[in-house]
């Protein structure tokens, strides 16, 4: 597969899918409190996407994934499977939403703090979000994928954190995951050159401890090998003639 440049009509559909994904994160916020199970969050999101948005939750049955959203708690890096486990005060949780509307995908995630969270967890969450935005700010025609990865890695490591390498951002459109791979580490000026009309996700996973991860026996949940906390944020980004447009921006970010 090579990188697909989206047409004007595809971009319009991607804007709609992106907005719907963002709206699911806005909708779920008041439910992310101590005592809720991640299965309950999954059901609320599923029903909202299907019944209100008339859209499709992309993770459900994607390569066998059993739920409609990913919920990754504390040392879980990504692809956490919702379960009967209750969230408790002090947990940090990434909720990753991907919807399909009119055949096109919108993909976005954010970190939620459950009840009262420790200062070191809050710092990880803040630095990871800033790292994502530094990556996003690199996006413009003639910049390279390496510019994005370099910006993310430099900032994460300057803050004494590590960047996960096994999972990356991706092109997105009619397919959930398209070319290119968007690494969150690398060298400025290296890699594919960006062009107007490309759409990709930037979704760094950053750990307090070492970068290494392993996948649990469920075949999905990635956790830090050293069991330190991990955070992730994700947006879907359109390359525009003048730079970028964030297709999954939430009200709180405008
Ligand atoms: N939403 C994830 C991403 O950002 C992918 C989840 S795949 C699933 O690419 F199967 F785990 F849902
Ligand atoms: Co993604
Ligand atoms: Co995602």
């Amino acid at each position: 597969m090579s990188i697909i440049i989206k047409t004007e009509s595809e971009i319009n559909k991607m804007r709609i899918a992106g907005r719907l994904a963002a709206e699911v994160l806005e909708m779920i916020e008041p439910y992310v409190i101590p005592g809720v199970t991640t299965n309950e969050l999954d059901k609320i999101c599923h029903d909202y996407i299907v019944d209100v948005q008339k859209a499709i939750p992309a993770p459900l049955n994607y390569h066998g994934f059993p739920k409609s959203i990913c919920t990754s708690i504390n040392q879980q890096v990504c692809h956490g499977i919702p379960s009967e486990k209750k969230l408790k005060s002090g947990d940090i949780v990434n909720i990753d939403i991907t919807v399909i509307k009119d055949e096109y995908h919108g993909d976005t995630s954010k970190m939620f703090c459950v009840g009262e969270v420790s200062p070191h967890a809050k710092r990880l969450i803040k630095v990871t979000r800033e790292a994502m935005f530094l990556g996003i700010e690199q996006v413009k025609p003639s910049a390279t994928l390496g510019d994005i990865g370099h910006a993310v890695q430099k900032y994460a490591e300057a803050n004494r954190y590590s960047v996960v390498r096994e999972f990356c951002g991706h092109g997105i459109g009619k397919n959930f995951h398209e070319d290119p791979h968007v690494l969150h580490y690398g060298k400025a000026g290296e890699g594919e050159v960006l062009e107007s009309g490309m759409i990709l996700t930037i979704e760094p996973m950053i750990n307090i401890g070492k970068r290494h991860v392993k996948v649990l026996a469920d075949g999905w949940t990635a956790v830090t090998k050293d069991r330190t906390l991990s955070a992730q944020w994700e947006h879907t980004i359109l390359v525009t003639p003048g730079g970028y447009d964030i297709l999954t921006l939430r009200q709180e970010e405008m």
Side-chain angles (χ1 to χ4, degrees), residues 153-228:
Q153 181 181 20
K154 194 172 137 204
Y155 188 69
E157 292 179 356
N159 281 284
R160 290 172 281 110
Y161 294 145
S162 65
V163 177
V164 171
R165 306 215 174 179
E166 286 80 357
F167 302 97
C168 54
H170 48 93
I172 183 168
K174 258 193 184 192
N175 307 294
F176 196 159
H177 296 103
E178 299 182 351
D179 274 353
H181 292 283
V182 181
L183 306 184
H184 302 109
Y185 59 93
K187 296 208 174 86
E190 291 194 348
E192 211 92 44
V193 177
L194 301 181
E195 280 177 51
S196 180
M198 290 179 178
I199 301 181
L200 40 91
T201 73
I202 298 179
E203 49 179 304
M205 286 138 277
I206 293 178
N207 304 342
I208 287 186
K210 295 200 194 321
R211 67 175 179 81
H212 304 96
V213 304
K214 65 172 189 181
V215 175
L216 298 184
D218 63 21
W220 284 101
T221 313
V223 300
T224 56
K225 267 194 180 159
D226 62 11
R227 300 292 162 139
T228 58

Side-chain angles (χ1 to χ4, degrees), residues 96-98 107-109 170 176 203 234:
D96 193 337
I97 302 292
T98 311
D107 189 7
T108 185
S109 80
H170 48 93
F176 196 159
E203 49 179 304
E234 174 175 26

Side-chain angles (χ1 to χ4, degrees), residues 77 92 94 109-111 120-136 151-153 155-157 159-164 184 202-208 229-235 253:
V77 171
I92 61 171
N94 174 278
S109 80
K110 72 173 272 190
M111 296 300 300
H120 75 279
K122 281 188 191 151
R123 180 177 180 273
L124 173 69
I125 288 172
K126 178 170 182 280
V127 168
T128 303
R129 181 163 186 271
E130 289 164 349
M132 174 191 65
F133 277 112
L134 287 168
I136 291 172
V152 172
Q153 181 181 20
Y155 188 69
E157 292 179 356
N159 281 284
R160 290 172 281 110
Y161 294 145
S162 65
V163 177
V164 171
H184 302 109
I202 298 179
E203 49 179 304
M205 286 138 277
I206 293 178
N207 304 342
I208 287 186
L229 292 180
S230 186
Q232 179 179 29
W233 295 79
E234 174 175 26
H235 272 309
E253 297 176 304

